Amino acid sequence: MGKQKTDHKSLHAGWIQDLKVANIIKIDGAKLVCLACQSNFTFKQKSQLEQHIKTSIHENLAKKFAMDPQRQILLSEAVESQSNKPFYKNMCQAFISAGIPWKKLQNPVLQNFLQTYTGRAIPDESTLRKNYLPQIYAEAIEEIRRDVGTNPIWLWVDETTDACGRYIANVLIGSLKKDEPSKSHLICSKQLEKTNNATVTKLVLDSLHVDKFVANMKTAFKKAPSRIAIYKEKCPDLPLPPNPVITRWGTWLKATEFYAQHFNEMKDIIETIKNDAASVNTLKTMIQSHDLPRNLAFISLNYTFLAEKLTELQEHGGSLHQTLQYLDEIENKLLKVNGNIGKAVIEKFRTVIGKNPDLEKLKQISSILEGESDEELPAELNPAEVAAFNYAPLTSVETERSFSMHKFLLSDRRQEITPENLEMELVSRYESLTED
């Protein structure tokens, strides 16, 4: 049976009843508010509340409070006052944009710092979530509507599995404009019951075992000060190994190029490390293989160019014609690779491209816009709509970036957040970080 969530309200109500302080101590979400001291507390034990009401400061303020009934106001009510609304709304927006969990507001040192330098009471996290997150989310959606307007739109849909094992689908849109590239907007992040793409097909190059080497190098030197110290001692002028990111296309290829260039140094470092960690033992075995340096050389010669091309494809603002040119350049270079691996890679490339039946239609539109085609316009589009395709994006890289943002927000310490609140925060954060 999983851990039961603490019912702070019932717990605090029992404390207040036992200590007979209902006239001066009130409940505000997960906190207790002392009306006399005009402060809120996150007491975890009843004894802490007992100690507070016995302090001389509290006793003196309690006497004054008894003679001034107009002071009986909860901090949650003060938050809702007209003068405080902009402050707390801006605080909520700042925490969303910076990716700071609202639970941090319960930290007494942070509370004291904010209260001291802002001169305002700091609300409970539930106040921001219930009262201000929906407002900020609604404003983000309205801003998207204004930006998109009545223009034709492009739309990306992609799915991933989050830290809780749930299938998540993100939807991004943007305007199609003939004279400028458009800004991308995350409009939806929904949990799915199931998906037909639960697993991702690995690239044929996995058979070269280079992927295993790259993964173990990342593990061996991640948060390992002793190994990093050996690395720095052996190669003081060499940067640490690249850290490939799943949602950043080309980072794996950049890592393989690094290892190809510095293979001898890496081998020397790995052999020096005296550690029985699984990743280190795997590396020591692999570094002795004759296949690994050969495979690194093969990839370095034939495929690391993809990292630069993928970066060009990801650049925001490229025209449809330029993006299609990059795609043609990639295919032409892949065709030059001989052998079984080369054939398998180009076959994989064409299979992926072939799954997009509208690519040929985009090529046709690009030719029309370049004045190089005598073909008729697609039947479902008018001339103005065809012209709007001039800056149509061809990659879904922004969707992958939204997944990175989702992973950042859904950390190990924030997995109790509801899907609805997560979606509102994700959409609002994405919009705030992609403002021009």
Side-chain angles (χ1 to χ4, degrees):
M1 185 174 179
K3 184 179 179 181
Q4 297 296 316
K5 190 173 182 180
T6 303
D7 185 352
H8 294 285
K9 190 172 183 179
S10 299
L11 182 66
H12 292 163
W15 295 354
I16 292 172
Q17 183 178 2
D18 292 342
L19 297 173
K20 299 179 181 181
V21 289
N23 65 318
I24 201 167
I25 303 295
K26 301 295 182 182
I27 300 171
D28 184 18
K31 297 182 179 182
L32 289 173
V33 179
C34 178
L35 300 179
C37 303
Q38 285 289 290
S39 297
N40 50 20
F41 305 95
T42 55
F43 295 143
K44 295 182 179 180
Q45 296 179 355
K46 181 181 175 181
S47 59
Q48 293 176 304
L49 177 58
E50 289 181 294
Q51 290 175 2
H52 171 73
I53 61 179
K54 290 179 180 179
T55 61
S56 58
I57 295 177
H58 172 81
E59 290 177 346
N60 291 333
L61 290 173
K63 291 177 181 178
K64 295 180 180 179
F65 172 79
M67 296 182 291
D68 187 8
Q70 292 185 350
R71 296 185 61 197
Q72 297 185 28
I73 178 171
L74 285 176
L75 291 183
S76 58
E77 296 171 332
V79 166
E80 292 302 317
S81 69
Q82 196 64 34
S83 61
N84 284 337
K85 282 184 178 181
F87 174 75
Y88 292 117
K89 182 180 176 183
N90 290 337
M91 172 185 281
C92 186
Q93 178 70 69
F95 271 55
I96 290 172
S97 182
I100 302 173
W102 291 321
K103 191 171 290 187
K104 298 291 185 182
L105 287 171
Q106 295 181 6
N107 182 291
V109 176
L110 178 61
Q111 276 189 4
N112 184 60
F113 172 82
L114 292 173
Q115 287 174 341
T116 300
Y117 290 98
T118 65
R120 297 177 183 267
I122 305 305
D124 185 80
E125 60 172 308
S126 61
T127 302
L128 295 183
R129 182 177 294 111
K130 294 176 183 177
N131 298 343
Y132 296 100
L133 175 59
Q135 291 182 34
I136 293 170
Y137 169 75
E139 290 176 3
I141 294 297
E142 184 58 33
E143 180 61 32
I144 293 171
R145 289 195 181 102
R146 285 196 295 268
D147 183 66
V148 173
T150 58
N151 295 311
I153 65 169
W154 53 260
L155 180 145
W156 289 323
V157 182
D158 206 348
E159 61 85 21
T160 190
T161 304
D162 70 11
C164 296
R166 300 173 298 199
Y167 298 125
I168 303 297
N170 284 6
V171 180
L172 282 80
I173 67 169
S175 302
L176 286 172
K177 302 176 182 178
K178 65 179 181 180
D179 52 350
E180 62 179 350
S182 64
K183 174 186 174 182
S184 61
H185 302 280
L186 175 65
I187 63 167
C188 178
S189 180
K190 296 294 185 184
Q191 180 179 336
L192 307 177
E193 292 184 4
K194 59 181 180 179
T195 176
N196 294 326
N197 298 301
T199 58
V200 179
T201 303
K202 286 191 174 182
L203 197 63
V204 177
L205 291 177
D206 283 359
S207 63
L208 298 175
H209 305 296
V210 173
D211 185 57
K212 187 176 181 181
F213 177 77
V214 173
N216 279 279
M217 284 294 290
K218 178 179 178 180
T219 303
F221 288 94
K222 186 177 182 181
K223 298 180 181 179
S226 61
R227 296 172 200 160
I228 293 175
I230 294 174
Y231 186 101
K232 289 294 186 182
E233 182 181 351
K234 288 283 185 180
C235 304
D237 298 325
L238 195 64
L240 288 172
N243 192 6
V245 181
I246 294 175
T247 54
R248 291 292 183 270
W249 302 352
T251 56
W252 184 89
L253 289 166
K254 289 179 180 178
T256 59
E257 179 65 15
F258 177 87
Y259 295 130
Q261 292 178 356
H262 306 290
F263 182 80
N264 291 334
E265 292 95 325
M266 296 299 105
K267 184 176 181 180
D268 187 30
I269 292 168
I270 292 168
E271 290 175 342
T272 302
I273 297 174
K274 296 179 180 179
N275 196 302
D276 59 353
S279 59
V280 175
N281 289 334
T282 300
L283 289 171
K284 287 188 175 184
T285 300
M286 295 189 71
I287 206 74
Q288 300 300 328
S289 168
H290 297 299
D291 291 334
L292 180 61
R294 286 201 299 264
N295 292 334
L296 284 170
F298 176 76
I299 295 173
S300 176
L301 174 64
N302 297 298
Y303 296 113
T304 51
F305 81 92
L306 283 168
E308 181 180 350
K309 287 300 176 185
L310 289 174
T311 299
E312 292 173 345
L313 280 171
Q314 292 176 66
E315 287 180 353
H316 188 69
S319 68
L320 176 63
H321 176 71
Q322 182 64 68
T323 306
L324 289 171
Q325 273 193 334
Y326 291 148
L327 202 59
D328 288 339
E329 290 172 10
I330 290 173
E331 184 174 11
N332 291 334
K333 288 195 175 185
L334 292 179
L335 281 169
K336 294 178 181 179
V337 183
N338 298 317
N340 293 331
I341 294 295
K343 291 178 181 178
V345 170
I346 193 63
E347 182 179 343
K348 176 68 175 179
F349 177 84
R350 287 176 171 171
T351 299
V352 173
I353 294 298
K355 290 180 180 178
N356 187 346
D358 290 328
L359 182 59
E360 290 301 320
K361 188 178 294 185
L362 288 172
K363 290 181 177 180
Q364 176 189 350
I365 290 174
S366 178
S367 296
I368 291 172
L369 295 178
E370 294 296 314
E372 299 174 353
S373 175
D374 296 328
E375 296 185 41
E376 295 181 359
L377 298 184
E380 66 275 21
L381 299 175
N382 63 40
E385 291 171 334
V386 170
F389 273 82
N390 190 33
Y391 285 97
L394 211 62
T395 69
S396 60
V397 65
E398 292 294 338
T399 314
E400 299 299 333
R401 288 173 178 160
S402 73
F403 290 148
S404 294
M405 204 175 290
H406 182 110
K407 181 180 179 181
F408 175 79
L409 292 176
L410 193 67
S411 66
D412 293 339
R413 298 182 179 181
R414 299 194 70 190
Q415 294 187 4
E416 290 184 359
I417 187 170
T418 65
E420 294 76 17
N421 286 333
L422 179 60
E423 178 184 21
M424 287 193 290
E425 188 168 345
L426 181 61
V427 169
S428 302
R429 176 173 165 80
Y430 187 95
E431 194 65 17
S432 70
L433 295 182
T434 56
E435 290 179 354
D436 295 332

